[in-house]
Amino acid sequence: MIIKNIDEMESIREEWNNIYIDSTMRSPLLSYEYVKLWYECFAEKEDVRVFKIEDERNNDTIAFMPMVIIRNKAISILKSITNDHSFYGDAIVRKGYEELFRIKIINQMLREKEWDVLIHDYSYSFSAMYPIFSENILNINGCMHHCVVEPTYTIFIETAVDEYIKNSLSSNLKSQLKRCNNKLNKQHTYKYKHYEGQKALEYWPEFLRIEDSGWKGRNGSSILRTTIEYKKYYDGLINILSKYNRIHLYFLEVDGKNISGVFGYIADDSFDYYKIAYDEEYHTLSPSNILLIHLMNDLVKNYGINRIHLFPYDDTGYKVRFANEKSYYSKTKIYNKTIAGCGMYYYDEMKRIIAKQPVLGKYMRIAINAIRKRRMQE
């Protein structure tokens, strides 16, 4: 069964919630409310695709896999519900049925001919469902596919934060943290503040203010300056996280002013370090780094959380300085056996070959340009 319109989702709400309770993974981003929110913000009603996976032996629903269909000229793409602000592409699967799900999901998807290319992003190596699409099962089914594994950034605190700092951080970073702490203690009054649940919602505008005050505000990438769809997404997200009592806001206050903040949430046994913000006027104090160390201590001591996920991509280089665990995420592209799907597979394969053979790419570009020139002359 496939849900193909957001108006049909209400019919699976109860089953979804039951599986959520009985799932190995209890991230709030796998909740029914979150998935519906994502669709409401980023998809047309008729582009919703929720795959319902059943075990025919006992006629029981074992999983739901939310996807979205995107029609791009002559190509139809079936895609995970991810984008530049949501890096979570897992399925909700009943405990003990993970391997059966992997077999059934690909079989069910391949029966559908409305899509040409399937793109699934962000299956994480520390997740119970990693990988969503097993290469072994894809090969058994004769699937044309391409899988890429790339690094994500995680901090794993095995014993205590002090031991993590001692064994995992570079000498330069440890010296920087020490200097900043000394400066805070000698020249300023400061305190850390932490809010969760409903209280975090009250201080959400303060986090948005700090984030918008710096470079994110200037280049239009802060939450306050995003599109209406993303603002709606964040408003819904923080309320869902509050409902499940998973939202956390941390602030560093210096001389009576909040100068840095962290927005994140607890997902299973990890803390997802979702957004950071700091006042650039205080950059010499490295406020985000100082607040991150405090956050680690609080999560380990008061919540028993040992893993902090900083998510992929590290444009500024700060994540790699703190990450001490080898973690990965997978990106999978599957090509359906449609005319367009086969065409895209061979086109992508050619691009990959050219990328590995620059000389071949050079001569192909020369040939293409020569053909274009000749056609123009004709």
Side-chain angles (χ1 to χ4, degrees):
M1 176 184 175
I2 307 172
I3 299 295
K4 293 189 175 184
N5 192 298
I6 197 169
D7 295 336
E8 300 172 15
M9 286 193 64
E10 185 62 33
S11 66
I12 61 171
R13 178 197 286 266
E14 185 176 350
E15 281 185 300
W16 190 298
N17 290 338
N18 289 338
I19 293 174
Y20 182 83
I21 293 170
D22 193 30
S23 172
T24 305
M25 300 171 61
R26 299 282 294 277
S27 168
L29 271 62
L30 287 174
S31 67
Y32 173 88
E33 294 92 334
Y34 173 81
V35 172
K36 190 171 183 185
L37 169 70
W38 194 97
Y39 284 135
E40 289 172 342
C41 294
F42 305 120
E44 298 295 329
K45 292 172 62 173
E46 64 275 10
D47 293 338
V48 167
R49 294 294 182 273
V50 180
F51 289 80
K52 178 180 177 180
I53 310 302
E54 295 178 310
D55 181 4
E56 294 84 357
R57 295 170 300 182
N58 51 21
N59 199 29
D60 193 17
T61 301
I62 63 168
F64 289 103
M65 179 73 174
M67 305 286 284
V68 62
I69 194 83
I70 301 170
R71 295 169 181 84
N72 183 10
K73 296 182 180 178
I75 302 293
S76 291
I77 299 171
L78 186 64
K79 188 180 179 300
S80 53
I81 57 168
T82 54
N83 57 32
D84 291 342
H85 289 252
S86 54
F87 302 95
Y88 206 86
D90 271 318
I92 182 76
V93 182
R94 195 179 297 278
K95 190 185 302 180
Y97 288 87
E98 292 83 3
E99 196 57 31
L100 181 61
F101 162 78
R102 290 189 180 96
I103 295 169
K104 285 187 166 293
I105 186 61
I106 190 59
N107 288 335
Q108 186 166 336
M109 286 179 168
L110 289 174
R111 287 197 296 268
E112 295 295 316
K113 297 303 179 185
E114 70 166 342
W115 61 272
D116 303 302
V117 179
L118 183 153
I119 299 174
H120 184 273
D121 294 332
Y122 307 119
S123 179
Y124 296 105
S125 58
F126 49 85
S127 161
M129 281 308 303
Y130 181 83
I132 289 282
F133 295 103
S134 160
E135 282 218 63
N136 183 48
I137 294 173
L138 291 173
N139 288 330
I140 289 172
N141 281 276
C143 294
M144 299 178 291
H145 67 280
H146 184 70
C147 298
V148 176
V149 176
E150 296 183 351
T152 188
Y153 298 92
T154 56
I155 296 167
F156 187 77
I157 303 163
E158 192 168 355
T159 53
V161 175
D162 287 344
E163 287 296 309
Y164 157 79
I165 293 172
K166 177 182 176 182
N167 298 325
S168 301
L169 301 188
S170 69
S171 298
N172 286 340
L173 183 52
K174 284 186 280 192
S175 297
Q176 181 195 58
L177 290 170
K178 185 175 181 180
R179 285 195 305 271
C180 292
N181 273 307
N182 288 339
K183 194 172 182 180
L184 273 175
N185 286 313
K186 292 178 181 179
Q187 300 179 18
H188 303 275
T189 58
Y190 71 95
K191 63 181 177 181
Y192 299 103
K193 297 189 288 188
H194 174 217
Y195 306 103
E196 54 186 314
Q198 187 63 36
K199 200 69 176 175
L201 299 185
E202 296 175 24
Y203 283 88
W204 178 244
E206 175 66 359
F207 177 84
L208 297 181
R209 180 195 68 78
I210 300 171
E211 188 199 35
D212 192 58
S213 69
W215 65 269
K216 290 183 180 179
R218 290 194 299 273
N219 70 13
S221 63
S222 68
I223 295 173
L224 285 177
R225 297 178 192 272
T226 54
T227 63
I228 293 172
E229 292 80 9
Y230 281 115
K231 288 175 182 175
K232 179 182 176 181
Y233 170 74
Y234 278 104
D235 285 344
L237 174 62
I238 61 172
N239 279 282
I240 290 169
L241 294 175
S242 176
K243 173 187 173 181
Y244 284 88
N245 200 30
R246 304 290 186 90
I247 187 172
H248 292 262
L249 284 184
Y250 288 88
F251 294 100
L252 171 58
E253 180 189 284
V254 173
D255 300 333
K257 180 182 180 182
N258 292 322
I259 67 166
S260 66
V262 170
F263 158 52
Y265 57 89
I266 292 176
D268 300 314
D269 59 352
S270 300
F271 180 82
D272 284 354
Y273 190 79
Y274 207 71
K275 285 277 185 181
I276 64 170
Y278 69 95
D279 189 326
E280 292 176 354
E281 181 183 346
Y282 295 85
H283 71 277
T284 58
L285 293 175
S286 296
S288 294
N289 293 348
I290 296 294
L291 184 56
L292 176 55
I293 298 298
H294 167 76
L295 175 151
M296 291 182 201
N297 278 296
D298 185 61
L299 290 172
V300 170
K301 180 181 177 181
N302 297 315
Y303 299 91
I305 298 293
N306 296 91
R307 178 180 286 112
I308 299 169
H309 187 198
L310 307 177
F311 290 99
Y313 314 119
D314 190 21
D315 297 338
T316 60
Y318 87 91
K319 294 180 182 180
V320 71
R321 301 173 72 196
F322 286 95
N324 69 331
E325 182 181 42
K326 288 186 177 181
S327 300
Y328 306 92
Y329 74 97
S330 64
K331 301 168 68 175
T332 303
K333 186 178 280 191
I334 304 171
Y335 305 84
N336 212 347
K337 292 179 181 178
T338 60
I339 294 173
C342 293
M344 283 301 300
Y345 173 75
Y346 291 113
Y347 174 72
D348 286 347
E349 280 296 297
M350 184 180 295
K351 287 200 301 183
R352 283 188 279 270
I353 292 169
I354 292 172
K356 295 177 182 178
Q357 300 287 340
V359 175
L360 177 60
K362 175 184 174 181
Y363 286 111
M364 285 194 69
R365 285 191 295 272
I366 291 172
I368 290 169
N369 289 333
I371 293 169
R372 286 175 178 168
K373 187 176 179 179
R374 184 168 181 175
R375 284 180 176 174
M376 290 175 65
Q377 290 172 348
E378 293 174 351

PDB file of all heavy atoms in Angstrom, residues 189-216:
ATOM      1  N   THR A 189      31.633  38.668  33.944  1.00  0.00           N
ATOM      2  CA  THR A 189      30.726  37.816  34.708  1.00  0.00           C
ATOM      3  C   THR A 189      29.928  37.012  33.692  1.00  0.00           C
ATOM      4  O   THR A 189      29.502  37.543  32.656  1.00  0.00           O
ATOM      5  CB  THR A 189      29.756  38.643  35.571  1.00  0.00           C
ATOM      6  OG1 THR A 189      28.997  39.516  34.734  1.00  0.00           O
ATOM      7  CG2 THR A 189      30.524  39.457  36.600  1.00  0.00           C
ATOM      8  N   TYR A 190      29.742  35.751  33.951  1.00  0.00           N
ATOM      9  CA  TYR A 190      29.059  34.922  32.964  1.00  0.00           C
ATOM     10  C   TYR A 190      28.317  33.774  33.644  1.00  0.00           C
ATOM     11  O   TYR A 190      28.599  33.422  34.807  1.00  0.00           O
ATOM     12  CB  TYR A 190      30.063  34.358  31.947  1.00  0.00           C
ATOM     13  CG  TYR A 190      30.987  33.294  32.502  1.00  0.00           C
ATOM     14  CD1 TYR A 190      30.680  31.940  32.357  1.00  0.00           C
ATOM     15  CD2 TYR A 190      32.149  33.633  33.195  1.00  0.00           C
ATOM     16  CE1 TYR A 190      31.514  30.963  32.873  1.00  0.00           C
ATOM     17  CE2 TYR A 190      32.991  32.667  33.705  1.00  0.00           C
ATOM     18  CZ  TYR A 190      32.665  31.327  33.538  1.00  0.00           C
ATOM     19  OH  TYR A 190      33.500  30.366  34.054  1.00  0.00           O
ATOM     20  N   LYS A 191      27.371  33.221  32.905  1.00  0.00           N
ATOM     21  CA  LYS A 191      26.677  32.025  33.382  1.00  0.00           C
ATOM     22  C   LYS A 191      26.080  31.290  32.184  1.00  0.00           C
ATOM     23  O   LYS A 191      25.867  31.860  31.112  1.00  0.00           O
ATOM     24  CB  LYS A 191      25.578  32.374  34.384  1.00  0.00           C
ATOM     25  CG  LYS A 191      24.460  33.234  33.830  1.00  0.00           C
ATOM     26  CD  LYS A 191      23.442  33.527  34.944  1.00  0.00           C
ATOM     27  CE  LYS A 191      22.324  34.452  34.439  1.00  0.00           C
ATOM     28  NZ  LYS A 191      21.350  34.763  35.504  1.00  0.00           N
ATOM     29  N   TYR A 192      25.837  29.991  32.393  1.00  0.00           N
ATOM     30  CA  TYR A 192      25.208  29.164  31.367  1.00  0.00           C
ATOM     31  C   TYR A 192      23.729  29.020  31.700  1.00  0.00           C
ATOM     32  O   TYR A 192      23.346  28.912  32.867  1.00  0.00           O
ATOM     33  CB  TYR A 192      25.858  27.780  31.332  1.00  0.00           C
ATOM     34  CG  TYR A 192      27.331  27.810  31.000  1.00  0.00           C
ATOM     35  CD1 TYR A 192      28.298  27.647  31.999  1.00  0.00           C
ATOM     36  CD2 TYR A 192      27.766  27.992  29.699  1.00  0.00           C
ATOM     37  CE1 TYR A 192      29.649  27.674  31.696  1.00  0.00           C
ATOM     38  CE2 TYR A 192      29.109  28.022  29.377  1.00  0.00           C
ATOM     39  CZ  TYR A 192      30.044  27.870  30.395  1.00  0.00           C
ATOM     40  OH  TYR A 192      31.377  27.906  30.084  1.00  0.00           O
ATOM     41  N   LYS A 193      22.923  28.986  30.652  1.00  0.00           N
ATOM     42  CA  LYS A 193      21.480  28.828  30.841  1.00  0.00           C
ATOM     43  C   LYS A 193      20.983  27.698  29.936  1.00  0.00           C
ATOM     44  O   LYS A 193      21.452  27.557  28.808  1.00  0.00           O
ATOM     45  CB  LYS A 193      20.755  30.136  30.518  1.00  0.00           C
ATOM     46  CG  LYS A 193      21.162  31.271  31.463  1.00  0.00           C
ATOM     47  CD  LYS A 193      20.287  32.507  31.287  1.00  0.00           C
ATOM     48  CE  LYS A 193      20.563  33.236  30.002  1.00  0.00           C
ATOM     49  NZ  LYS A 193      19.855  34.540  29.924  1.00  0.00           N
ATOM     50  N   HIS A 194      20.053  26.949  30.448  1.00  0.00           N
ATOM     51  CA  HIS A 194      19.554  25.769  29.721  1.00  0.00           C
ATOM     52  C   HIS A 194      18.044  25.690  29.889  1.00  0.00           C
ATOM     53  O   HIS A 194      17.522  25.759  31.003  1.00  0.00           O
ATOM     54  CB  HIS A 194      20.214  24.501  30.277  1.00  0.00           C
ATOM     55  CG  HIS A 194      19.662  23.238  29.703  1.00  0.00           C
ATOM     56  ND1 HIS A 194      19.486  22.094  30.449  1.00  0.00           N
ATOM     57  CD2 HIS A 194      19.222  22.925  28.444  1.00  0.00           C
ATOM     58  CE1 HIS A 194      18.980  21.136  29.692  1.00  0.00           C
ATOM     59  NE2 HIS A 194      18.803  21.616  28.471  1.00  0.00           N
ATOM     60  N   TYR A 195      17.347  25.543  28.761  1.00  0.00           N
ATOM     61  CA  TYR A 195      15.888  25.450  28.789  1.00  0.00           C
ATOM     62  C   TYR A 195      15.445  24.254  27.959  1.00  0.00           C
ATOM     63  O   TYR A 195      16.015  23.961  26.905  1.00  0.00           O
ATOM     64  CB  TYR A 195      15.250  26.720  28.222  1.00  0.00           C
ATOM     65  CG  TYR A 195      15.724  27.981  28.898  1.00  0.00           C
ATOM     66  CD1 TYR A 195      16.655  28.809  28.276  1.00  0.00           C
ATOM     67  CD2 TYR A 195      15.261  28.334  30.165  1.00  0.00           C
ATOM     68  CE1 TYR A 195      17.107  29.965  28.895  1.00  0.00           C
ATOM     69  CE2 TYR A 195      15.706  29.485  30.793  1.00  0.00           C
ATOM     70  CZ  TYR A 195      16.630  30.293  30.147  1.00  0.00           C
ATOM     71  OH  TYR A 195      17.087  31.437  30.764  1.00  0.00           O
ATOM     72  N   GLU A 196      14.410  23.582  28.430  1.00  0.00           N
ATOM     73  CA  GLU A 196      13.841  22.471  27.681  1.00  0.00           C
ATOM     74  C   GLU A 196      12.327  22.517  27.773  1.00  0.00           C
ATOM     75  O   GLU A 196      11.760  23.288  28.554  1.00  0.00           O
ATOM     76  CB  GLU A 196      14.386  21.129  28.188  1.00  0.00           C
ATOM     77  CG  GLU A 196      14.228  20.892  29.670  1.00  0.00           C
ATOM     78  CD  GLU A 196      14.918  19.615  30.121  1.00  0.00           C
ATOM     79  OE1 GLU A 196      14.758  18.578  29.454  1.00  0.00           O
ATOM     80  OE2 GLU A 196      15.632  19.659  31.139  1.00  0.00           O
ATOM     81  N   GLY A 197      11.665  21.708  26.949  1.00  0.00           N
ATOM     82  CA  GLY A 197      10.216  21.670  26.977  1.00  0.00           C
ATOM     83  C   GLY A 197       9.583  23.012  26.653  1.00  0.00           C
ATOM     84  O   GLY A 197      10.045  23.764  25.804  1.00  0.00           O
ATOM     85  N   GLN A 198       8.505  23.336  27.357  1.00  0.00           N
ATOM     86  CA  GLN A 198       7.762  24.570  27.113  1.00  0.00           C
ATOM     87  C   GLN A 198       8.618  25.806  27.356  1.00  0.00           C
ATOM     88  O   GLN A 198       8.485  26.819  26.664  1.00  0.00           O
ATOM     89  CB  GLN A 198       6.520  24.603  28.013  1.00  0.00           C
ATOM     90  CG  GLN A 198       5.578  25.766  27.731  1.00  0.00           C
ATOM     91  CD  GLN A 198       4.975  25.732  26.333  1.00  0.00           C
ATOM     92  OE1 GLN A 198       4.674  24.666  25.815  1.00  0.00           O
ATOM     93  NE2 GLN A 198       4.793  26.908  25.728  1.00  0.00           N
ATOM     94  N   LYS A 199       9.514  25.725  28.334  1.00  0.00           N
ATOM     95  CA  LYS A 199      10.377  26.880  28.643  1.00  0.00           C
ATOM     96  C   LYS A 199      11.280  27.206  27.455  1.00  0.00           C
ATOM     97  O   LYS A 199      11.564  28.386  27.193  1.00  0.00           O
ATOM     98  CB  LYS A 199      11.239  26.562  29.877  1.00  0.00           C
ATOM     99  CG  LYS A 199      11.784  27.792  30.573  1.00  0.00           C
ATOM    100  CD  LYS A 199      10.675  28.579  31.253  1.00  0.00           C
ATOM    101  CE  LYS A 199      11.240  29.749  32.032  1.00  0.00           C
ATOM    102  NZ  LYS A 199      10.167  30.608  32.602  1.00  0.00           N
ATOM    103  N   ALA A 200      11.735  26.183  26.727  1.00  0.00           N
ATOM    104  CA  ALA A 200      12.578  26.419  25.559  1.00  0.00           C
ATOM    105  C   ALA A 200      11.825  27.209  24.491  1.00  0.00           C
ATOM    106  O   ALA A 200      12.411  28.051  23.798  1.00  0.00           O
ATOM    107  CB  ALA A 200      13.075  25.094  24.985  1.00  0.00           C
ATOM    108  N   LEU A 201      10.513  26.955  24.352  1.00  0.00           N
ATOM    109  CA  LEU A 201       9.727  27.690  23.372  1.00  0.00           C
ATOM    110  C   LEU A 201       9.689  29.179  23.701  1.00  0.00           C
ATOM    111  O   LEU A 201       9.704  30.033  22.802  1.00  0.00           O
ATOM    112  CB  LEU A 201       8.297  27.145  23.308  1.00  0.00           C
ATOM    113  CG  LEU A 201       8.131  25.678  22.895  1.00  0.00           C
ATOM    114  CD1 LEU A 201       6.648  25.335  22.752  1.00  0.00           C
ATOM    115  CD2 LEU A 201       8.863  25.387  21.601  1.00  0.00           C
ATOM    116  N   GLU A 202       9.656  29.498  24.993  1.00  0.00           N
ATOM    117  CA  GLU A 202       9.625  30.903  25.403  1.00  0.00           C
ATOM    118  C   GLU A 202      10.907  31.631  25.021  1.00  0.00           C
ATOM    119  O   GLU A 202      10.891  32.832  24.723  1.00  0.00           O
ATOM    120  CB  GLU A 202       9.413  30.993  26.923  1.00  0.00           C
ATOM    121  CG  GLU A 202       8.081  30.449  27.395  1.00  0.00           C
ATOM    122  CD  GLU A 202       7.965  30.456  28.908  1.00  0.00           C
ATOM    123  OE1 GLU A 202       8.684  31.264  29.556  1.00  0.00           O
ATOM    124  OE2 GLU A 202       7.170  29.660  29.452  1.00  0.00           O
ATOM    125  N   TYR A 203      12.043  30.901  25.001  1.00  0.00           N
ATOM    126  CA  TYR A 203      13.334  31.535  24.702  1.00  0.00           C
ATOM    127  C   TYR A 203      13.772  31.335  23.252  1.00  0.00           C
ATOM    128  O   TYR A 203      14.860  31.763  22.878  1.00  0.00           O
ATOM    129  CB  TYR A 203      14.407  31.006  25.664  1.00  0.00           C
ATOM    130  CG  TYR A 203      14.294  31.628  27.037  1.00  0.00           C
ATOM    131  CD1 TYR A 203      13.473  31.074  28.011  1.00  0.00           C
ATOM    132  CD2 TYR A 203      14.996  32.797  27.336  1.00  0.00           C
ATOM    133  CE1 TYR A 203      13.352  31.657  29.267  1.00  0.00           C
ATOM    134  CE2 TYR A 203      14.877  33.382  28.590  1.00  0.00           C
ATOM    135  CZ  TYR A 203      14.053  32.810  29.543  1.00  0.00           C
ATOM    136  OH  TYR A 203      13.938  33.409  30.783  1.00  0.00           O
ATOM    137  N   TRP A 204      12.921  30.707  22.446  1.00  0.00           N
ATOM    138  CA  TRP A 204      13.227  30.517  21.038  1.00  0.00           C
ATOM    139  C   TRP A 204      13.480  31.844  20.315  1.00  0.00           C
ATOM    140  O   TRP A 204      14.440  31.947  19.538  1.00  0.00           O
ATOM    141  CB  TRP A 204      12.096  29.725  20.390  1.00  0.00           C
ATOM    142  CG  TRP A 204      12.238  29.489  18.916  1.00  0.00           C
ATOM    143  CD1 TRP A 204      11.419  29.957  17.931  1.00  0.00           C
ATOM    144  CD2 TRP A 204      13.241  28.714  18.243  1.00  0.00           C
ATOM    145  NE1 TRP A 204      11.834  29.525  16.692  1.00  0.00           N
ATOM    146  CE2 TRP A 204      12.955  28.760  16.860  1.00  0.00           C
ATOM    147  CE3 TRP A 204      14.345  27.994  18.677  1.00  0.00           C
ATOM    148  CZ2 TRP A 204      13.737  28.109  15.900  1.00  0.00           C
ATOM    149  CZ3 TRP A 204      15.129  27.339  17.726  1.00  0.00           C
ATOM    150  CH2 TRP A 204      14.830  27.408  16.357  1.00  0.00           C
ATOM    151  N   PRO A 205      12.671  32.889  20.526  1.00  0.00           N
ATOM    152  CA  PRO A 205      12.951  34.178  19.870  1.00  0.00           C
ATOM    153  C   PRO A 205      14.328  34.729  20.198  1.00  0.00           C
ATOM    154  O   PRO A 205      14.951  35.398  19.355  1.00  0.00           O
ATOM    155  CB  PRO A 205      11.845  35.098  20.392  1.00  0.00           C
ATOM    156  CG  PRO A 205      10.722  34.173  20.748  1.00  0.00           C
ATOM    157  CD  PRO A 205      11.402  32.947  21.292  1.00  0.00           C
ATOM    158  N   GLU A 206      14.839  34.444  21.395  1.00  0.00           N
ATOM    159  CA  GLU A 206      16.174  34.916  21.763  1.00  0.00           C
ATOM    160  C   GLU A 206      17.247  34.204  20.955  1.00  0.00           C
ATOM    161  O   GLU A 206      18.219  34.817  20.500  1.00  0.00           O
ATOM    162  CB  GLU A 206      16.411  34.706  23.264  1.00  0.00           C
ATOM    163  CG  GLU A 206      17.804  35.053  23.759  1.00  0.00           C
ATOM    164  CD  GLU A 206      18.137  36.531  23.670  1.00  0.00           C
ATOM    165  OE1 GLU A 206      17.297  37.327  23.201  1.00  0.00           O
ATOM    166  OE2 GLU A 206      19.262  36.901  24.064  1.00  0.00           O
ATOM    167  N   PHE A 207      17.067  32.911  20.723  1.00  0.00           N
ATOM    168  CA  PHE A 207      18.014  32.184  19.878  1.00  0.00           C
ATOM    169  C   PHE A 207      17.988  32.741  18.459  1.00  0.00           C
ATOM    170  O   PHE A 207      19.040  32.951  17.846  1.00  0.00           O
ATOM    171  CB  PHE A 207      17.677  30.688  19.858  1.00  0.00           C
ATOM    172  CG  PHE A 207      18.565  29.898  18.941  1.00  0.00           C
ATOM    173  CD1 PHE A 207      19.801  29.448  19.374  1.00  0.00           C
ATOM    174  CD2 PHE A 207      18.188  29.630  17.625  1.00  0.00           C
ATOM    175  CE1 PHE A 207      20.643  28.740  18.526  1.00  0.00           C
ATOM    176  CE2 PHE A 207      19.015  28.927  16.772  1.00  0.00           C
ATOM    177  CZ  PHE A 207      20.250  28.486  17.223  1.00  0.00           C
ATOM    178  N   LEU A 208      16.784  33.000  17.942  1.00  0.00           N
ATOM    179  CA  LEU A 208      16.660  33.550  16.590  1.00  0.00           C
ATOM    180  C   LEU A 208      17.337  34.910  16.485  1.00  0.00           C
ATOM    181  O   LEU A 208      17.965  35.235  15.467  1.00  0.00           O
ATOM    182  CB  LEU A 208      15.189  33.665  16.192  1.00  0.00           C
ATOM    183  CG  LEU A 208      14.391  32.364  16.091  1.00  0.00           C
ATOM    184  CD1 LEU A 208      12.948  32.659  15.671  1.00  0.00           C
ATOM    185  CD2 LEU A 208      15.035  31.400  15.113  1.00  0.00           C
ATOM    186  N   ARG A 209      17.222  35.719  17.531  1.00  0.00           N
ATOM    187  CA  ARG A 209      17.853  37.046  17.533  1.00  0.00           C
ATOM    188  C   ARG A 209      19.366  36.932  17.419  1.00  0.00           C
ATOM    189  O   ARG A 209      19.999  37.641  16.612  1.00  0.00           O
ATOM    190  CB  ARG A 209      17.487  37.808  18.814  1.00  0.00           C
ATOM    191  CG  ARG A 209      18.108  39.202  18.896  1.00  0.00           C
ATOM    192  CD  ARG A 209      18.043  39.770  20.298  1.00  0.00           C
ATOM    193  NE  ARG A 209      18.912  39.039  21.223  1.00  0.00           N
ATOM    194  CZ  ARG A 209      20.225  39.189  21.308  1.00  0.00           C
ATOM    195  NH1 ARG A 209      20.866  40.015  20.481  1.00  0.00           N
ATOM    196  NH2 ARG A 209      20.923  38.499  22.201  1.00  0.00           N
ATOM    197  N   ILE A 210      19.966  36.040  18.207  1.00  0.00           N
ATOM    198  CA  ILE A 210      21.423  35.880  18.176  1.00  0.00           C
ATOM    199  C   ILE A 210      21.864  35.363  16.812  1.00  0.00           C
ATOM    200  O   ILE A 210      22.835  35.859  16.230  1.00  0.00           O
ATOM    201  CB  ILE A 210      21.890  34.914  19.289  1.00  0.00           C
ATOM    202  CG1 ILE A 210      21.500  35.436  20.664  1.00  0.00           C
ATOM    203  CG2 ILE A 210      23.406  34.732  19.223  1.00  0.00           C
ATOM    204  CD1 ILE A 210      21.741  34.445  21.793  1.00  0.00           C
ATOM    205  N   GLU A 211      21.148  34.368  16.282  1.00  0.00           N
ATOM    206  CA  GLU A 211      21.533  33.805  14.989  1.00  0.00           C
ATOM    207  C   GLU A 211      21.470  34.858  13.892  1.00  0.00           C
ATOM    208  O   GLU A 211      22.320  34.898  12.991  1.00  0.00           O
ATOM    209  CB  GLU A 211      20.612  32.629  14.637  1.00  0.00           C
ATOM    210  CG  GLU A 211      21.080  31.880  13.388  1.00  0.00           C
ATOM    211  CD  GLU A 211      20.009  31.030  12.740  1.00  0.00           C
ATOM    212  OE1 GLU A 211      18.832  31.433  12.759  1.00  0.00           O
ATOM    213  OE2 GLU A 211      20.365  29.986  12.192  1.00  0.00           O
ATOM    214  N   ASP A 212      20.472  35.731  13.959  1.00  0.00           N
ATOM    215  CA  ASP A 212      20.276  36.736  12.910  1.00  0.00           C
ATOM    216  C   ASP A 212      21.250  37.908  13.032  1.00  0.00           C
ATOM    217  O   ASP A 212      21.409  38.683  12.081  1.00  0.00           O
ATOM    218  CB  ASP A 212      18.839  37.260  12.967  1.00  0.00           C
ATOM    219  CG  ASP A 212      18.471  38.080  11.752  1.00  0.00           C
ATOM    220  OD1 ASP A 212      18.557  37.541  10.629  1.00  0.00           O
ATOM    221  OD2 ASP A 212      18.103  39.256  11.920  1.00  0.00           O
ATOM    222  N   SER A 213      21.943  38.014  14.176  1.00  0.00           N
ATOM    223  CA  SER A 213      22.796  39.187  14.415  1.00  0.00           C
ATOM    224  C   SER A 213      24.120  39.131  13.665  1.00  0.00           C
ATOM    225  O   SER A 213      24.774  40.154  13.491  1.00  0.00           O
ATOM    226  CB  SER A 213      23.085  39.325  15.918  1.00  0.00           C
ATOM    227  OG  SER A 213      23.932  38.262  16.371  1.00  0.00           O
ATOM    228  N   GLY A 214      24.516  37.939  13.204  1.00  0.00           N
ATOM    229  CA  GLY A 214      25.834  37.781  12.591  1.00  0.00           C
ATOM    230  C   GLY A 214      25.777  37.553  11.098  1.00  0.00           C
ATOM    231  O   GLY A 214      24.881  38.034  10.394  1.00  0.00           O
ATOM    232  N   TRP A 215      26.756  36.777  10.606  1.00  0.00           N
ATOM    233  CA  TRP A 215      26.901  36.567   9.167  1.00  0.00           C
ATOM    234  C   TRP A 215      25.706  35.846   8.552  1.00  0.00           C
ATOM    235  O   TRP A 215      25.365  36.074   7.387  1.00  0.00           O
ATOM    236  CB  TRP A 215      28.194  35.809   8.871  1.00  0.00           C
ATOM    237  CG  TRP A 215      28.250  34.404   9.410  1.00  0.00           C
ATOM    238  CD1 TRP A 215      28.724  34.014  10.612  1.00  0.00           C
ATOM    239  CD2 TRP A 215      27.792  33.217   8.749  1.00  0.00           C
ATOM    240  NE1 TRP A 215      28.602  32.647  10.765  1.00  0.00           N
ATOM    241  CE2 TRP A 215      28.047  32.134   9.629  1.00  0.00           C
ATOM    242  CE3 TRP A 215      27.228  32.957   7.510  1.00  0.00           C
ATOM    243  CZ2 TRP A 215      27.731  30.822   9.309  1.00  0.00           C
ATOM    244  CZ3 TRP A 215      26.911  31.648   7.183  1.00  0.00           C
ATOM    245  CH2 TRP A 215      27.160  30.596   8.079  1.00  0.00           C
ATOM    246  N   LYS A 216      25.030  35.003   9.335  1.00  0.00           N
ATOM    247  CA  LYS A 216      23.862  34.319   8.789  1.00  0.00           C
ATOM    248  C   LYS A 216      22.755  35.311   8.443  1.00  0.00           C
ATOM    249  O   LYS A 216      22.062  35.168   7.435  1.00  0.00           O
ATOM    250  CB  LYS A 216      23.339  33.266   9.770  1.00  0.00           C
ATOM    251  CG  LYS A 216      24.259  32.066   9.932  1.00  0.00           C
ATOM    252  CD  LYS A 216      23.643  31.033  10.865  1.00  0.00           C
ATOM    253  CE  LYS A 216      24.549  29.826  11.035  1.00  0.00           C
ATOM    254  NZ  LYS A 216      23.972  28.819  11.947  1.00  0.00           N
TER     255      LYS A 216
END
